[in-house]
Amino acid sequence: MREYLLTLCVAAAVTYLLTGPVRKFAIAAGAMPEIRDRDVHREPTPRLGGIAMFGGLCAGLLVAAHLTNLKSVFELSNEPRALLSGAGLIWLLGVLDDKWGVDALIKLGAQMIAAGVMVLQGLTVLWLPIPGKGIVALTPVQSTLLTVALVVITINAVNFVDGLDGLASGMVCIAAIAFFMYAYRIWYGYGIEAAAPATLFSAILIGMCLGFLPHNLHPARIFMGDSGSMLIGLVLASGAISITGQTDPDAITNLTGSTRDTTHFMVPFYLPLLLPLTLIAIPAADLVLAIVRRTWNGQSPFAADRGHLHHRLLDIGHSHSRAVWIMYFWSALISFGAVAFSVNSSSLLIVLSIVVLSAMGLLALLMPRFRPRAPRWAEAFVPPRYRRTRAEAAREAHDAAAATIAAGEAPGVNGATALSARSLVDAGRGSGSHP
């Protein structure tokens, strides 16, 4: 565990330290596109944050290759090299797109090429656990098509959800943490060495996202761009493919005692990868809805619009930060729920917890205008978003004065107080603080 944490910290530190210089380079290179109608930011913001994230990936792999326990991953498997090859191609494509723009079909073809390169180097799905049939081996053609499909779907799902400050990096970080917990359990809990590459990939991915998040939280100083969103999507898909296609089911059977138990052990987590990944269920749902919506409206599935899930959260009244946190919540609920279900699928407590948390998430979605306010005596100790603005304070004073006037018209109320309150109301109307 210590070596994984060291690798994570190195990837995070390198990504964090590189993001500042990369931001200056992006500004100097003119990688600051004009604001589009579907954008939610109001000022041009530099892209190319994926350059720093790719640096974190390379640093994490380099350090892991020299650690005592992790270097065996590079000696016994070609998957780290396959990941680096595919990541390099997809990162280069993203850099070109961030600076000059690349046609959607060309991007799709390049994504398939990057996935094909990884398949040629051994990073592919070899078998799948199917309920009722057990472990089903895939032919080379089926394996290649499934692997390419998973990579392309995951890349575009993450790319589609990258629409708010810190959204994509935070959601992928949450998914990577959940994935690390599952892969580490298979690696050290069951002694399956084939799960080591996936564990390493997820640890590095966590570091890449954590290192970039401080620069990308609202208000973002830099965007990851396609060079970053496609990169982290590919790394996430690579870890899922590695643990799905390379983990020997017979080794787990020796521990569980039967093929049936092995299939049921693997299915809760593996099978959802086909639809595609449970870990990115929210981005995948956004991807499917976007394709259906655009096709229904007679548009290209690759045409950009303002109908994504995060856009809808903003449209119904949620703030930028709250929309991001709601997406974080649902991503964490689905990701960690899948991991918990894979550990003990018959636990009633897990099911009840998921139901209760889902109800809380739905309640948050139905309260877009709820904005807590601290008491006046505590406003000096809380962030500005919890304080009353001048307009709100003037409105409260106006309402209180109006109530005093109404009470002043009743018998037994001091007329001077009512006159003073009426003056406050008139002053409020004159300042435009109340309609």
Side-chain angles (χ1 to χ4, degrees), residues 107-424:
K107 288 170 60 176
L108 180 62
Q111 293 168 5
M112 296 174 67
I113 292 174
V117 169
M118 294 194 299
V119 170
L120 291 176
Q121 298 187 61
L123 186 56
T124 182
V125 179
L126 299 178
W127 41 63
L128 286 176
I130 306 298
K133 293 185 178 181
I135 307 303
V136 177
L138 301 178
T139 65
V141 175
Q142 293 173 338
S143 175
T144 301
L145 292 177
L146 179 58
T147 303
V148 172
L150 285 174
V151 171
V152 171
I153 290 174
T154 307
I155 287 175
N156 286 282
V158 175
N159 191 24
F160 273 38
V161 83
D162 184 25
L164 297 179
D165 297 349
L167 182 58
S169 52
M171 291 182 67
V172 172
C173 183
I174 292 171
I177 292 173
F179 192 85
F180 176 82
M181 293 171 59
Y182 184 82
Y184 186 82
R185 175 172 174 259
I186 292 181
W187 170 207
Y188 281 96
Y190 289 90
I192 309 299
E193 293 186 1
T199 311
L200 175 62
F201 296 165
S202 57
I204 294 176
L205 181 58
I206 296 170
M208 294 164 59
C209 294
L210 288 179
F212 186 73
L213 263 176
H215 300 274
N216 191 230
L217 290 175
H218 184 70
R221 301 178 67 249
I222 185 174
F223 295 150
M224 68 172 66
D226 283 2
S227 59
S229 61
M230 293 195 298
L231 175 65
I232 60 177
L234 180 136
V235 177
L236 182 61
S238 299
I241 291 169
S242 173
I243 203 170
T244 303
Q246 305 299 324
T247 302
D248 186 4
D250 292 335
I252 300 180
T253 301
N254 294 334
L255 298 172
T256 58
S258 68
T259 303
R260 179 179 178 181
D261 292 340
T262 299
T263 302
H264 285 284
F265 170 80
M266 299 174 71
V267 165
F269 192 81
Y270 287 161
L271 193 57
L273 297 177
L274 302 177
L275 300 178
L277 297 169
T278 299
L279 298 178
I280 58 163
I282 298 299
D286 193 16
L287 172 65
V288 173
L289 291 175
I291 294 176
V292 173
R293 178 180 64 251
R294 294 166 185 174
T295 305
W296 183 266
N297 294 331
Q299 300 176 339
S300 168
F302 303 101
D305 60 11
R306 190 183 167 84
H308 294 291
L309 296 177
H310 50 272
H311 289 139
R312 298 190 180 189
L313 289 175
L314 296 177
D315 292 340
I316 64 176
H318 290 289
S319 66
H320 190 292
S321 299
R322 185 182 296 170
V324 171
W325 281 106
I326 288 175
M327 297 286 279
Y328 282 178
F329 172 83
W330 284 106
S331 179
L333 178 61
I334 296 174
S335 299
F336 290 103
V339 174
F341 186 70
S342 70
V343 174
N344 188 357
S345 59
S346 61
S347 174
L348 181 61
L349 179 61
I350 294 176
V351 176
L352 291 177
S353 299
I354 294 176
V355 171
V356 172
L357 291 174
S358 299
M360 294 173 58
L362 291 175
L363 182 63
L365 288 174
L366 297 175
M367 300 175 63
R369 299 188 182 279
F370 173 71
R371 186 170 58 177
R373 284 288 178 262
R376 292 185 178 181
W377 59 268
E379 287 187 350
F381 307 100
V382 297
R385 62 178 177 273
Y386 298 117
R387 305 173 190 169
R388 291 172 177 81
T389 63
R390 293 182 178 180
E392 290 172 337
R395 189 175 295 109
E396 289 180 1
H398 175 277
D399 294 339
T404 304
I405 292 175
E409 295 175 355
V413 178
N414 191 329
T417 302
L419 179 61
S420 175
R422 188 177 298 278
S423 299
L424 287 174

Side-chain angles (χ1 to χ4, degrees), residues 22-23 26-27 31-33 44-49 221-224:
V22 167
R23 180 179 182 274
I27 295 175
M32 297 177 61
T45 306
R47 297 186 179 183
L48 294 178
R221 301 178 67 249
I222 185 174
F223 295 150
M224 68 172 66

Side-chain angles (χ1 to χ4, degrees), residues 57-72:
L57 172 65
C58 294
L61 291 175
L62 180 62
V63 170
H66 292 83
L67 295 178
T68 304
N69 295 322
L70 294 184
K71 66 179 181 181
S72 61

